[in-house]
Amino acid sequence: MLVTSPPLPTAAPASLDAFLAGIGPRAFRFAEAGLRQRDDALDAVQDAMERMLGYRDQPAEEWTPLFWSILRRRIIDIQRRRSFRLKFWAPAQDEDGPIDWADETPGPAQTHEQREDYAQLVQALRQLPARQREAFGLRVLQELDVATTARAMGCSEGSVKTHLSRARDALQKQLEATR
């Protein structure tokens, strides 16, 4: 069973630059989970941040759902572009290859067991349908509230709850099967 902490109340950032600096690593992990390629994830996050610069006049409390909505649409665009390409032009990729870890710098939190758990979670997330993966990523991993997640995904709060419930059930079954 996945255990998450309740979202912490956060004060509005002082500037858009501070907001983007704070959200960058989380956005990268979200994009990498959706795109499965480090370079594409970096491009998607950079494009989303550049688009956010055009919204610097918006109130700070609107930046979070706006950013996640922009990033989500950019990820979908890249996925669609990938599927549109002719398969024989694309280089062969090994889906079962090792995970390219986003942060390779050593730290106290990076133990062997945590890497294995992370690898299992990423593999389980890859098995989910896109909408369930997005709902889980935004709601649980990014700790956004239901209303903000719904705005970012462009759907109703009820849809977010449905996608999240189905994602949690599927993840729980997959992760329990690997234990």
Side-chain angles (χ1 to χ4, degrees):
M1 178 174 192
L2 297 172
V3 178
T4 61
S5 60
L8 301 173
T10 57
S15 69
L16 184 60
D17 294 334
F19 169 77
L20 293 175
I23 206 164
R26 291 174 31 205
F28 173 74
R29 288 190 301 271
F30 180 75
E32 188 178 33
L35 294 170
R36 301 178 186 142
Q37 289 186 354
R38 181 181 174 89
D39 292 337
D40 287 346
L42 288 170
D43 289 342
V45 171
Q46 182 178 0
D47 291 346
M49 288 182 171
E50 286 177 2
R51 288 254 348 246
M52 276 301 294
L53 294 177
Y55 296 101
R56 77 171 54 240
D57 295 334
Q58 296 286 334
E61 56 272 1
E62 292 184 14
W63 290 345
T64 300
L66 183 59
F67 176 79
W68 289 110
S69 178
I70 291 169
L71 180 60
R72 185 182 147 276
R73 285 192 306 264
R74 184 65 186 123
I75 290 169
I76 291 170
D77 288 346
I78 292 172
Q79 290 169 338
R80 285 181 181 156
R81 190 171 298 122
R82 251 194 234 153
S83 67
F84 182 73
R85 290 185 205 146
L86 296 175
K87 299 296 180 190
F88 63 89
W89 289 112
Q93 296 177 0
D94 183 16
E95 285 290 327
D96 296 329
I99 294 176
D100 181 21
W101 295 101
D103 184 10
E104 295 178 5
T105 59
Q110 291 183 335
T111 63
H112 179 69
E113 184 177 332
Q114 289 172 332
R115 282 191 176 192
E116 286 181 355
D117 290 345
Y118 179 76
Q120 289 175 353
L121 178 61
V122 168
Q123 188 63 30
L125 284 171
R126 287 180 178 168
Q127 303 300 319
L128 293 177
R131 296 294 278 180
Q132 290 179 16
R133 185 174 54 244
E134 290 170 1
F136 184 83
L138 292 171
R139 184 76 179 93
V140 176
L141 301 178
Q142 304 306 326
E143 299 179 350
L144 300 180
D145 60 21
V146 175
T148 304
T149 303
R151 286 177 56 196
M153 290 180 65
C155 63
S156 70
E157 291 181 20
S159 293
V160 169
K161 291 176 184 178
T162 300
H163 290 306
L164 181 60
S165 174
R166 290 176 181 168
R168 282 183 172 156
D169 289 343
L171 287 173
Q172 185 173 4
K173 288 176 186 173
Q174 288 180 20
L175 294 174
E176 284 177 355
T178 61
R179 292 270 172 201

